[in-house]
């Protein structure tokens, strides 16, 4: 798709939280892993992150890959508690603490 394109910006969600199945989906990873690591994770949203707050054309930025995140973060255990409370699963989520 980008073959031959010059000076492109690639906006990439670091860890997407989505309601669709894909291997990078954070929620899908939490449901499929046997043991989880307690970690603080940015709260990206594919719909919110698709529109950057600034326009590269108005500034001079290198044309490289950019990881996009929204402000704020959540801990692994906070997300797994919400998953269980929502009724999506009754799975126990063993979480390793650092």
């Amino acid at each position: 798709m980008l073959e031959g394109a010059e000076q492109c910006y690639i906006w990439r969600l670091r860890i997407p939280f989505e309601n669709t199945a894909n291997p990078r989906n954070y929620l899908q990873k939490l449901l499929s892993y046997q043991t989880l690591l307690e970690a603080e994770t940015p709260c990206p949203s594919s719909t919110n992150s698709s529109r950057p707050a600034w326009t590269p054309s108005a500034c001079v930025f290198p044309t490289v890959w950019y990881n996009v995140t929204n402000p704020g973060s959540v801990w692994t255990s906070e997300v797994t508690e919400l998953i269980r409370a929502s009724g999506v699963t009754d799975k126990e989520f063993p979480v390793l603490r650092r």
Side-chain angles (χ1 to χ4, degrees):
M1 176 186 241
L2 294 175
E3 186 177 337
E6 295 181 17
Q7 298 189 349
C8 293
Y9 291 95
I10 299 174
W11 302 99
R12 178 184 168 272
L13 292 175
R14 184 178 169 277
I15 302 174
F17 283 63
E18 300 175 324
N19 62 352
T20 58
N22 78 63
R24 291 187 57 232
N25 183 352
Y26 184 63
L27 301 176
Q28 183 175 336
K29 288 179 181 184
L30 292 178
L31 288 166
S32 64
Y33 290 174
Q34 294 301 313
T35 304
L36 306 172
L37 174 65
E38 179 71 278
E40 192 173 17
T41 305
C43 298
S45 161
S46 59
T47 54
N48 292 337
S49 297
S50 62
R51 289 181 233 118
W54 46 268
T55 57
S57 59
C59 306
V60 179
F61 290 99
T63 51
V64 295
W65 292 73
Y66 289 92
N67 288 328
V68 180
T69 61
N70 289 330
S73 61
V74 292
W75 288 92
T76 305
S77 56
E78 292 175 309
V79 178
T80 57
E81 287 169 17
L82 290 170
I83 290 172
R84 286 181 52 92
S86 72
V88 169
T89 184
D90 60 356
K91 174 184 174 178
E92 292 295 325
F93 293 94
V95 177
L96 299 175
R97 310 222 187 271
R98 294 183 200 189

